[in-house]
Amino acid sequence: MKTVLITGASRGIGAAIARIFAQNGYHTFLTCAHHTEALFALQRELERSFGIPCTAIPCDMSDAEAVERLFAQLPPLDVLINNAGISYFGLLSEMSVADWHRVMDTNLSACFYTCRLAIPHMVRKKSGRILNISSVWGQTGSSMETAYCASKGGLNALTKALAKELAPSNIQVNALAPGFIDTDMNRCLSAEETAALITEIPADRAGTPEEAAALAWQVVNAPAYMTGQIISIDGGWT
Ligand code: NDP
């Protein structure tokens, strides 16, 4: 049975990705740091609905030692999906150093922590897929979200560089760059702010976590010659 680790799967895009992999027969490993009840509820739902083994392991992905303890409990992975992420809204000049590191550690360093532990087995097998959930902001930038944009821009560069490093071992590394997706991450926006954002999107609506997850599944299952790509899903926004 194939194995997948999806980080940040207690809700939103990560939970939707977990449903697709479980539906397709994967032993699905899920993490989150805070909403562990939701994570265990998803574990039960996937086992009941799809008859696959699903393992939920609370883990703060921004903590390198916690990620080492996580991997000590995992079998070799066929697919690694680095999805856990946090946003931060505010002026850069008013951001604390602690908040900067929290965004960077969760959105960028966590990807390093998981990749370095997942890669050796993939290299031995000469197969494996890594998908990083980035953002259109990593390419275009956005006012009031400088740290978030920097973390996602870093994730894009990591994706491209690592893809080159691992292509000789037949391991594909790609990133998804969603635009505005209807999840808890955007609940801090007022109804007016959401409406104003949507007027800028040609598709005239937010994307759904299920649409992002459907593309994640397709990218993981794309021909092996596709690697090092940042693939947008944004309703024509950028
Ligand atoms: P949500 O806030 O709905 O979900 C974020 C997930 O990440 C939760 O499961 C959360 O779990 C988990 N998480 C956060 N911090 C940690 C941590 N330190 N360790 C482990 N898990 C953690 O957001 P989305 O589903 O929207 O976001 C998923 C990804 O998609 C993120 O990387 C985000 O940047 C990206 N994205 C989202 C967009 C959008 O418009 N929604 C647009 C572009 C990109 P818990 O809180 O329980 O720990």
Side-chain angles (χ1 to χ4, degrees), residues 143-175:
S143 168
M144 306 285 282
E145 294 189 76
T146 300
Y148 181 80
C149 296
S151 71
K152 296 298 189 178
L155 197 56
N156 290 348
L158 185 155
T159 299
K160 286 181 168 293
L162 190 61
K164 289 192 162 80
E165 197 166 306
L166 295 180
S169 300
N170 187 37
I171 299 163
Q172 291 75 38
V173 188
N174 291 293

Side-chain angles (χ1 to χ4, degrees), residues 63-93:
D63 176 342
E65 289 176 6
V67 174
E68 284 187 14
R69 289 194 295 276
L70 165 71
F71 269 74
Q73 301 171 62
L74 297 180
L77 295 175
D78 294 296
V79 180
L80 166 63
I81 302 191
N82 290 301
N83 167 78
I86 53 171
S87 57
Y88 178 93
F89 293 93
L91 293 171
L92 186 75
S93 54

Side-chain angles (χ1 to χ4, degrees), residues 23-24 65 93 96 111-112 124 149 182 188 206 213 225 237:
Q23 193 174 6
N24 284 279
E65 289 176 6
S93 54
S96 71
C111 178
F112 160 56
R124 272 194 298 278
C149 296
D182 184 19
C188 56
Y225 207 55
W237 199 7

